[in-house]
Amino acid sequence: MKCGICPRGCEKRGLCGVGMKPKIARAAPHFDEEPVISGTKGSGAVFFSGCPLKCVFCQNDDISRGAFGQEVDDLRSVYDRLIAKGVHNINLVTAGHFLPEIVRSLTPKLPVPVVWNSSGYETEEQIEALHGLVDVYLPDFKYMNPETARTLSACPDYPEVAKKALLAMHAQVGPAQFDEDGLMTRGMLVRHLILPGHAEESIEILKWIFENLPDAWVSVMAQYTPTPRVAGTDMDRRISREEYELVWEYIDECGFENGFVQARSSAKREYTPAFDLTGVNDEE
């Protein structure tokens, strides 16, 4: 019997390391997303445990590979408590492998925008199941080269799967829309993390985004920080000034306006939140 939820198609309990019941590690206002997502009151981020990718540089390793967290029976109550705290939106972080329960938890539609914060490694069927329930797609586009995807995430089909998923997301929500405070209420913001030794691949990825998702917003991130898993490898360093400037020059030549480019100095571990079950059983 195959799970069939994500592109992996695993047998029963698969590479994500969790079962079918939602498991979360943190649910709290989050202020470290892009300004159009976090705003002044924070994004209501719900961090789900497990992940179908195996990225060697993952900053959330405790919950992605380690699957730390607690199973919850009522996701809707988690969202409701966050909304009561005044967050701008509900931000579902790496939730795709729990899709059936996610869809149930979002029905009926929430009174605030729902942000789908993902790796981009999803099927078109997963995206279609979220139609009318998700307002803002916040996916990564990590790799263009299958060999890079295989080496760094054990996922050689990532580029082709992600392209189809991003096109489906874009077709579903259309051009970005904002409220009077400048917060994105509908649309798509694609993230890309520049990796050491892969600046040319970053340019290929950005070129594809600009050509195929012309009215999507883009966030180019320079926060790559080595983890113990990459010790002694070519990935055991931050991106160089030359790599950063190569990508920056390309973006500048394209007349890039709709989005964000992180400063190279943003490579800090402090952006990783504490996965300590905050908000999981909070009855306030």
Side-chain angles (χ1 to χ4, degrees):
M1 177 182 174
K2 287 190 175 183
C3 166
I5 294 177
C6 90
R8 291 288 195 182
C10 298
E11 301 287 342
K12 298 183 180 180
R13 191 182 184 95
L15 286 173
C16 63
V18 291
M20 302 296 287
K21 190 173 181 179
K23 189 176 184 182
I24 62 178
R26 181 180 177 86
H30 190 55
F31 295 89
D32 292 328
E33 308 286 27
E34 289 75 5
V36 295
I37 303 296
S38 288
T40 58
K41 298 179 181 178
S43 178
V46 183
F47 289 87
F48 288 82
S49 307
C51 180
L53 295 184
K54 296 299 174 187
C55 302
V56 295
F57 52 86
C58 182
Q59 301 298 301
N60 297 348
D61 196 66
D62 289 347
I63 65 170
S64 61
R65 285 176 179 264
F68 170 79
Q70 182 172 305
E71 291 185 344
V72 294
D73 294 312
D74 186 3
L75 278 174
R76 187 77 177 204
S77 66
V78 174
Y79 310 155
D80 289 342
R81 291 196 295 270
L82 285 170
I83 292 170
K85 293 179 180 179
V87 296
H88 297 295
N89 48 58
I90 292 298
N91 181 352
L92 306 179
V93 186
T94 317
H97 44 295
F98 295 120
L99 186 67
E101 289 301 322
I102 296 296
V103 169
R104 278 190 278 273
S105 72
L106 294 177
T107 308
K109 187 79 172 64
L110 290 177
V112 298
V114 173
V115 178
W116 187 255
N117 187 338
S118 78
S119 69
Y121 188 66
E122 290 150 317
T123 66
E124 294 168 280
E125 290 76 17
Q126 282 178 288
I127 304 308
E128 178 57 31
L130 297 168
H131 196 174
L133 301 175
V134 166
D135 304 283
V136 177
Y137 282 104
L138 187 62
D140 292 339
F141 191 175
K142 297 178 183 290
Y143 316 111
M144 185 64 78
N145 187 328
E147 182 59 23
T148 308
R150 183 193 69 77
T151 302
L152 300 183
S153 293
C155 193
D157 64 341
Y158 177 92
E160 291 309 310
V161 171
K163 287 176 186 176
K164 292 177 182 178
L166 267 60
L167 288 169
M169 293 175 188
H170 185 256
Q172 192 178 109
V173 295
Q177 299 176 23
F178 300 87
D179 65 15
E180 63 275 9
D181 296 317
L183 291 160
M184 187 177 286
T185 57
R186 187 172 178 83
M188 185 176 188
L189 198 166
V190 186
R191 288 171 163 168
H192 172 66
L193 176 66
I194 306 170
L195 298 172
H198 295 274
E200 293 285 356
E201 188 168 349
S202 289
I203 290 173
E204 290 182 48
I205 288 169
L206 292 169
K207 184 175 186 292
W208 186 90
I209 293 171
F210 295 154
E211 291 179 351
N212 292 276
L213 309 170
D215 53 11
W217 279 54
V218 182
S219 178
V220 182
M221 302 184 295
Q223 66 189 43
Y224 175 84
T225 305
T227 67
R229 290 186 182 277
V230 302
T233 73
D234 292 342
M235 299 292 290
D236 193 12
R237 65 175 177 85
R238 295 179 178 177
I239 63 171
S240 68
R241 180 178 298 279
E242 291 75 19
E243 289 167 332
Y244 180 81
E245 290 180 350
L246 184 66
V247 177
W248 172 257
E249 287 171 7
Y250 173 74
I251 293 170
D252 190 46
E253 289 172 4
C254 292
F256 176 70
E257 294 181 351
N258 295 337
F260 309 91
V261 181
Q262 275 186 337
R264 183 167 160 265
S265 59
S266 62
K268 300 175 182 177
R269 290 190 180 279
E270 64 192 44
Y271 292 113
T272 302
F275 299 121
D276 55 5
L277 303 182
T278 295
V280 176
N281 290 311
D282 184 0
E283 298 298 335
E284 294 181 6

Coordinates of all heavy atoms in Angstrom, one line a residue, residues 211-274:
E211 N 10.8 34.2 -16.3 CA 10.2 33.9 -17.6 C 8.9 33.2 -17.5 O 8.0 33.4 -18.4 CB 11.1 33.0 -18.5 CG 12.4 33.8 -18.9 CD 13.3 32.9 -19.7 OE1 13.1 31.6 -19.8 OE2 14.3 33.4 -20.3
N212 N 8.7 32.4 -16.5 CA 7.5 31.5 -16.4 C 6.5 32.0 -15.3 O 5.3 31.6 -15.4 CB 7.9 30.1 -16.1 CG 8.6 29.5 -17.2 OD1 8.0 28.9 -18.1 ND2 9.9 29.5 -17.2
L213 N 6.9 32.8 -14.4 CA 6.0 33.3 -13.3 C 6.2 34.8 -13.3 O 6.6 35.4 -12.3 CB 6.4 32.7 -12.0 CG 6.5 31.2 -11.9 CD1 7.1 30.7 -10.6 CD2 5.2 30.5 -12.2
P214 N 5.8 35.5 -14.4 CA 6.2 36.9 -14.5 C 5.6 37.9 -13.5 O 6.2 38.9 -13.2 CB 5.6 37.3 -15.9 CG 4.6 36.2 -16.2 CD 5.0 35.0 -15.5
D215 N 4.5 37.6 -12.9 CA 4.0 38.5 -11.9 C 4.1 38.0 -10.4 O 3.4 38.5 -9.5 CB 2.5 38.9 -12.2 CG 1.6 37.7 -12.4 OD1 2.0 36.6 -12.1 OD2 0.5 37.9 -12.9
A216 N 4.9 36.9 -10.3 CA 5.1 36.4 -8.9 C 6.2 37.3 -8.2 O 7.1 37.8 -8.9 CB 5.6 34.9 -9.0
W217 N 6.1 37.4 -6.9 CA 7.1 38.0 -6.2 C 8.2 37.0 -5.9 O 8.0 35.8 -5.9 CB 6.6 38.6 -4.9 CG 5.9 40.0 -5.1 CD1 4.9 40.2 -6.0 CD2 6.2 41.2 -4.4 NE1 4.6 41.5 -6.0 CE2 5.3 42.2 -5.0 CE3 7.1 41.5 -3.4 CZ2 5.4 43.5 -4.6 CZ3 7.1 42.9 -3.0 CH2 6.2 43.8 -3.6
V218 N 9.4 37.5 -5.7 CA 10.6 36.6 -5.5 C 11.4 37.1 -4.3 O 11.6 38.3 -4.1 CB 11.5 36.6 -6.7 CG1 12.6 35.6 -6.5 CG2 10.7 36.2 -8.0
S219 N 11.9 36.1 -3.5 CA 12.7 36.4 -2.4 C 14.0 35.6 -2.6 O 14.0 34.4 -2.6 CB 12.1 36.0 -1.1 OG 12.9 36.2 0.0
V220 N 15.1 36.4 -2.8 CA 16.4 35.7 -3.0 C 17.2 35.8 -1.6 O 17.4 36.8 -1.1 CB 17.3 36.5 -4.1 CG1 18.6 35.8 -4.3 CG2 16.5 36.5 -5.4
M221 N 17.5 34.6 -1.1 CA 18.0 34.5 0.2 C 19.5 34.2 0.2 O 20.0 33.4 -0.6 CB 17.3 33.4 1.0 CG 15.8 33.7 1.1 SD 14.9 32.5 2.1 CE 15.1 31.0 1.1
A222 N 20.2 34.8 1.1 CA 21.7 34.6 1.2 C 22.1 34.1 2.6 O 23.2 34.2 3.0 CB 22.4 36.0 1.0
Q223 N 21.1 33.5 3.3 CA 21.3 33.1 4.7 C 21.9 31.7 4.9 O 21.9 31.2 6.0 CB 20.0 33.2 5.4 CG 18.9 32.2 5.0 CD 17.6 32.5 5.5 OE1 17.1 33.6 5.6 NE2 16.9 31.4 6.0
Y224 N 22.4 31.1 3.8 CA 22.9 29.7 3.9 C 24.0 29.7 5.1 O 24.9 30.5 5.1 CB 23.6 29.3 2.6 CG 24.2 27.9 2.8 CD1 23.5 26.7 2.7 CD2 25.6 27.8 3.1 CE1 24.1 25.5 2.8 CE2 26.2 26.6 3.3 CZ 25.4 25.4 3.1 OH 26.0 24.2 3.3
T225 N 23.8 28.7 6.0 CA 24.7 28.5 7.1 C 25.0 27.0 7.2 O 24.1 26.2 7.2 CB 24.0 29.0 8.4 OG1 23.6 30.3 8.3 CG2 25.0 28.9 9.6
P226 N 26.3 26.6 7.2 CA 26.6 25.2 7.2 C 26.1 24.5 8.4 O 26.1 25.1 9.5 CB 28.2 25.3 7.2 CG 28.5 26.6 6.6 CD 27.5 27.5 7.1
T227 N 25.7 23.3 8.3 CA 25.3 22.4 9.4 C 26.3 21.3 9.6 O 27.2 21.1 8.7 CB 23.9 21.8 9.1 OG1 24.1 20.9 8.0 CG2 22.9 22.8 8.7
P228 N 26.3 20.6 10.7 CA 27.2 19.5 10.9 C 27.2 18.5 9.8 O 28.2 17.8 9.6 CB 26.8 18.9 12.3 CG 26.1 20.1 13.0 CD 25.5 20.9 11.9
R229 N 26.1 18.3 9.2 CA 26.0 17.3 8.1 C 26.9 17.6 6.9 O 27.2 16.7 6.1 CB 24.5 17.1 7.6 CG 23.6 16.5 8.7 CD 22.2 16.3 8.1 NE 21.3 15.7 9.1 CZ 21.3 14.4 9.5 NH1 22.0 13.6 8.8 NH2 20.5 14.0 10.4
V230 N 27.3 18.8 6.7 CA 28.1 19.1 5.6 C 29.6 19.3 5.9 O 30.4 19.8 5.1 CB 27.6 20.4 4.8 CG1 26.1 20.2 4.4 CG2 27.7 21.6 5.7
A231 N 29.9 19.0 7.2 CA 31.3 19.2 7.6 C 32.3 18.5 6.7 O 32.1 17.3 6.4 CB 31.4 18.7 9.1
G232 N 33.3 19.2 6.3 CA 34.3 18.6 5.5 C 34.0 18.5 4.0 O 34.8 17.9 3.2
T233 N 32.9 19.0 3.6 CA 32.5 18.9 2.2 C 32.6 20.3 1.6 O 32.9 21.3 2.3 CB 31.0 18.5 2.0 OG1 30.1 19.5 2.5 CG2 30.8 17.2 2.8
D234 N 32.3 20.4 0.3 CA 32.3 21.7 -0.4 C 31.3 22.7 0.1 O 31.3 23.9 -0.2 CB 32.2 21.5 -1.9 CG 33.3 20.8 -2.6 OD1 34.4 20.7 -1.9 OD2 33.2 20.2 -3.7
M235 N 30.3 22.1 0.8 CA 29.2 23.0 1.3 C 29.5 23.5 2.7 O 28.6 24.2 3.3 CB 27.9 22.1 1.4 CG 27.4 21.6 0.0 SD 26.9 22.9 -1.1 CE 25.4 23.4 -0.3
D236 N 30.6 23.2 3.2 CA 31.0 23.6 4.6 C 31.5 25.1 4.6 O 32.7 25.3 5.1 CB 32.0 22.6 5.2 CG 32.1 22.8 6.7 OD1 31.3 23.5 7.3 OD2 33.1 22.2 7.3
R237 N 30.8 26.0 4.1 CA 31.2 27.4 4.1 C 29.9 28.2 3.7 O 29.0 27.7 3.1 CB 32.3 27.7 3.1 CG 31.9 27.5 1.6 CD 33.0 27.9 0.7 NE 32.7 27.6 -0.7 CZ 32.0 28.4 -1.5 NH1 31.5 29.6 -1.0 NH2 31.8 28.1 -2.8
R238 N 30.0 29.5 4.0 CA 28.9 30.4 3.6 C 29.2 30.8 2.2 O 30.3 30.6 1.6 CB 28.8 31.6 4.5 CG 28.4 31.2 5.9 CD 28.3 32.3 6.9 NE 27.9 31.8 8.2 CZ 27.8 32.6 9.3 NH1 28.1 33.9 9.2 NH2 27.3 32.1 10.4
I239 N 28.2 31.4 1.5 CA 28.5 31.9 0.1 C 29.5 33.0 0.1 O 29.6 33.8 1.1 CB 27.2 32.3 -0.6 CG1 26.5 33.5 0.1 CG2 26.2 31.2 -0.7 CD1 25.4 34.1 -0.7
S240 N 30.3 33.0 -0.9 CA 31.3 34.1 -1.0 C 30.8 35.4 -1.5 O 29.7 35.4 -2.0 CB 32.4 33.6 -1.9 OG 32.0 33.6 -3.2
R241 N 31.5 36.4 -1.3 CA 31.1 37.7 -1.8 C 31.0 37.7 -3.3 O 30.1 38.3 -3.9 CB 32.2 38.8 -1.4 CG 31.8 40.2 -1.9 CD 32.9 41.2 -1.4 NE 32.9 41.3 0.0 CZ 32.0 42.0 0.7 NH1 31.1 42.7 0.1 NH2 32.1 42.1 2.0
E242 N 31.9 37.0 -4.0 CA 31.9 36.9 -5.4 C 30.6 36.2 -5.9 O 30.0 36.6 -6.9 CB 33.1 36.1 -5.9 CG 34.4 36.9 -5.8 CD 34.9 36.9 -4.4 OE1 34.5 36.1 -3.5 OE2 35.8 37.8 -4.0
E243 N 30.2 35.1 -5.2 CA 29.0 34.4 -5.6 C 27.7 35.3 -5.4 O 26.8 35.3 -6.2 CB 28.9 33.1 -4.7 CG 29.9 32.0 -5.1 CD 30.0 30.9 -4.1 OE1 29.7 31.1 -2.9 OE2 30.3 29.8 -4.5
Y244 N 27.7 36.0 -4.2 CA 26.6 36.9 -4.0 C 26.5 38.0 -5.0 O 25.4 38.2 -5.6 CB 26.8 37.5 -2.6 CG 25.7 38.4 -2.2 CD1 24.5 37.9 -1.7 CD2 25.8 39.8 -2.3 CE1 23.4 38.8 -1.3 CE2 24.8 40.7 -1.9 CZ 23.6 40.2 -1.4 OH 22.6 41.0 -1.1
E245 N 27.6 38.6 -5.4 CA 27.6 39.6 -6.3 C 27.3 39.2 -7.7 O 26.6 39.9 -8.5 CB 29.0 40.3 -6.3 CG 29.2 41.1 -5.0 CD 30.6 41.8 -5.0 OE1 31.4 41.6 -5.9 OE2 30.8 42.6 -4.1
L246 N 27.6 37.9 -8.1 CA 27.3 37.4 -9.4 C 25.8 37.3 -9.5 O 25.2 37.7 -10.5 CB 27.9 36.0 -9.6 CG 27.7 35.3 -10.9 CD1 28.4 36.1 -12.0 CD2 28.2 33.9 -10.9
V247 N 25.1 36.8 -8.5 CA 23.6 36.7 -8.5 C 23.0 38.1 -8.5 O 22.0 38.4 -9.2 CB 23.1 35.8 -7.3 CG1 21.6 35.8 -7.3 CG2 23.7 34.4 -7.5
W248 N 23.5 39.0 -7.6 CA 23.0 40.3 -7.5 C 23.1 41.1 -8.8 O 22.1 41.7 -9.2 CB 23.8 41.1 -6.4 CG 23.4 42.5 -6.4 CD1 24.1 43.6 -6.9 CD2 22.2 43.1 -5.9 NE1 23.4 44.8 -6.7 CE2 22.2 44.5 -6.1 CE3 21.0 42.5 -5.3 CZ2 21.2 45.3 -5.7 CZ3 20.0 43.4 -4.9 CH2 20.1 44.8 -5.1
E249 N 24.2 40.9 -9.6 CA 24.4 41.6 -10.8 C 23.3 41.1 -11.9 O 22.8 41.9 -12.6 CB 25.8 41.4 -11.4 CG 26.8 42.2 -10.6 CD 28.3 41.8 -11.0 OE1 28.4 40.9 -12.0 OE2 29.2 42.2 -10.4
Y250 N 23.1 39.8 -11.8 CA 22.0 39.3 -12.8 C 20.7 39.9 -12.4 O 19.9 40.3 -13.3 CB 22.0 37.8 -12.7 CG 20.8 37.2 -13.5 CD1 20.8 37.2 -14.9 CD2 19.7 36.7 -12.8 CE1 19.8 36.7 -15.6 CE2 18.6 36.3 -13.5 CZ 18.6 36.2 -14.9 OH 17.6 35.8 -15.6
I251 N 20.3 39.9 -11.1 CA 19.0 40.4 -10.7 C 18.9 41.9 -11.1 O 17.9 42.3 -11.6 CB 18.9 40.3 -9.2 CG1 18.8 38.8 -8.8 CG2 17.7 41.1 -8.7 CD1 18.8 38.6 -7.3
D252 N 20.0 42.6 -10.9 CA 20.0 44.1 -11.2 C 19.8 44.3 -12.7 O 19.1 45.2 -13.2 CB 21.3 44.7 -10.8 CG 21.3 46.2 -10.8 OD1 20.3 46.8 -10.4 OD2 22.3 46.8 -11.3
E253 N 20.4 43.5 -13.5 CA 20.3 43.6 -15.0 C 18.9 43.3 -15.5 O 18.4 43.8 -16.5 CB 21.3 42.6 -15.7 CG 22.7 43.0 -15.6 CD 23.6 41.9 -16.1 OE1 23.1 40.8 -16.6 OE2 24.9 42.0 -16.0
C254 N 18.2 42.4 -14.7 CA 16.8 42.1 -15.1 C 15.8 43.1 -14.7 O 14.6 43.0 -15.0 CB 16.4 40.7 -14.4 SG 17.3 39.3 -15.0
G255 N 16.2 44.2 -14.0 CA 15.3 45.2 -13.5 C 14.4 44.7 -12.4 O 13.2 45.1 -12.4
F256 N 14.9 43.8 -11.6 CA 14.1 43.1 -10.6 C 13.5 44.2 -9.6 O 14.2 45.0 -9.0 CB 15.0 42.2 -9.8 CG 14.3 41.5 -8.6 CD1 13.3 40.5 -8.8 CD2 14.7 41.8 -7.3 CE1 12.8 39.9 -7.7 CE2 14.2 41.1 -6.2 CZ 13.2 40.2 -6.4
E257 N 12.1 44.1 -9.4 CA 11.5 45.0 -8.5 C 10.6 44.4 -7.5 O 10.5 44.8 -6.3 CB 10.6 46.0 -9.3 CG 11.5 47.0 -10.2 CD 10.6 48.0 -10.9 OE1 9.4 47.8 -10.9 OE2 11.2 48.9 -11.5
N258 N 9.8 43.3 -7.9 CA 8.8 42.7 -7.0 C 9.4 41.6 -6.1 O 9.3 40.5 -6.4 CB 7.7 42.2 -7.8 CG 6.9 43.3 -8.6 OD1 6.9 44.4 -8.2 ND2 6.2 42.9 -9.6
G259 N 10.0 42.1 -5.0 CA 10.5 41.1 -4.1 C 11.6 41.6 -3.2 O 11.7 42.8 -2.9
F260 N 12.5 40.6 -2.7 CA 13.4 41.0 -1.7 C 14.8 40.2 -2.0 O 14.8 39.1 -2.6 CB 12.9 40.5 -0.4 CG 11.6 41.0 0.0 CD1 10.4 40.3 -0.4 CD2 11.4 42.2 0.6 CE1 9.2 40.7 -0.1 CE2 10.1 42.7 0.8 CZ 9.0 42.0 0.5
V261 N 15.9 40.9 -1.7 CA 17.2 40.3 -1.8 C 17.9 40.4 -0.4 O 18.1 41.6 0.0 CB 18.0 40.9 -2.9 CG1 19.4 40.2 -3.0 CG2 17.3 40.8 -4.2
Q262 N 18.1 39.3 0.2 CA 18.8 39.4 1.5 C 20.2 39.9 1.4 O 20.9 39.6 0.4 CB 18.8 38.0 2.2 CG 17.6 37.6 2.9 CD 17.8 36.3 3.7 OE1 18.6 35.5 3.3 NE2 17.0 36.1 4.7
A263 N 20.7 40.6 2.4 CA 22.1 40.9 2.5 C 22.9 39.7 2.8 O 22.4 38.7 3.5 CB 22.3 42.0 3.6
R264 N 24.1 39.6 2.4 CA 25.0 38.5 2.6 C 25.2 38.3 4.1 O 25.4 37.2 4.6 CB 26.3 38.7 1.9 CG 27.3 37.5 2.0 CD 28.4 37.6 1.0 NE 29.5 36.8 1.4 CZ 30.6 37.2 2.1 NH1 30.6 38.5 2.4 NH2 31.6 36.4 2.4
S265 N 25.1 39.3 4.9 CA 25.4 39.3 6.3 C 24.2 38.6 7.1 O 24.3 38.4 8.3 CB 25.6 40.7 6.9 OG 24.4 41.5 6.6
S266 N 23.2 38.2 6.4 CA 22.0 37.6 7.0 C 22.2 36.1 7.4 O 21.3 35.5 8.0 CB 20.8 37.7 6.1 OG 21.0 37.0 4.9
A267 N 23.4 35.6 7.1 CA 23.6 34.2 7.4 C 23.9 34.0 8.8 O 25.0 33.9 9.3 CB 24.8 33.7 6.5
K268 N 22.8 33.8 9.6 CA 22.9 33.6 11.0 C 21.9 32.6 11.5 O 20.8 32.5 11.0 CB 22.5 35.0 11.8 CG 23.4 36.1 11.4 CD 23.0 37.4 12.1 CE 23.9 38.6 11.7 NZ 23.4 39.9 12.3
R269 N 22.3 31.8 12.5 CA 21.4 30.7 13.0 C 20.3 31.3 13.9 O 19.3 30.5 14.1 CB 22.3 29.7 13.9 CG 23.2 28.9 13.1 CD 23.8 27.8 13.9 NE 24.7 27.0 13.1 CZ 24.4 26.0 12.3 NH1 23.1 25.7 12.2 NH2 25.3 25.3 11.7
E270 N 20.3 32.5 14.3 CA 19.3 33.1 15.1 C 18.0 33.1 14.5 O 16.9 33.3 15.1 CB 19.7 34.4 15.6 CG 19.8 35.5 14.5 CD 20.5 36.8 15.0 OE1 21.5 36.7 15.7 OE2 20.0 37.8 14.7
Y271 N 17.9 33.0 13.2 CA 16.6 33.0 12.5 C 15.8 31.7 12.6 O 14.7 31.7 12.3 CB 16.8 33.3 11.0 CG 17.3 34.7 10.7 CD1 18.6 34.9 10.2 CD2 16.5 35.8 11.0 CE1 19.1 36.2 10.0 CE2 17.0 37.1 10.8 CZ 18.3 37.3 10.3 OH 18.7 38.6 10.1
T272 N 16.5 30.7 13.1 CA 15.8 29.4 13.4 C 15.0 29.5 14.7 O 15.6 29.7 15.7 CB 16.8 28.2 13.4 OG1 17.6 28.2 12.2 CG2 16.1 26.9 13.6
P273 N 13.7 29.3 14.6 CA 12.9 29.4 15.9 C 13.1 28.3 16.8 O 13.7 27.2 16.4 CB 11.5 29.5 15.4 CG 11.5 28.7 14.1 CD 12.9 29.1 13.5
A274 N 12.7 28.4 18.0 CA 12.8 27.3 19.0 C 11.7 26.3 18.8 O 10.5 26.7 18.9 CB 12.8 27.9 20.4

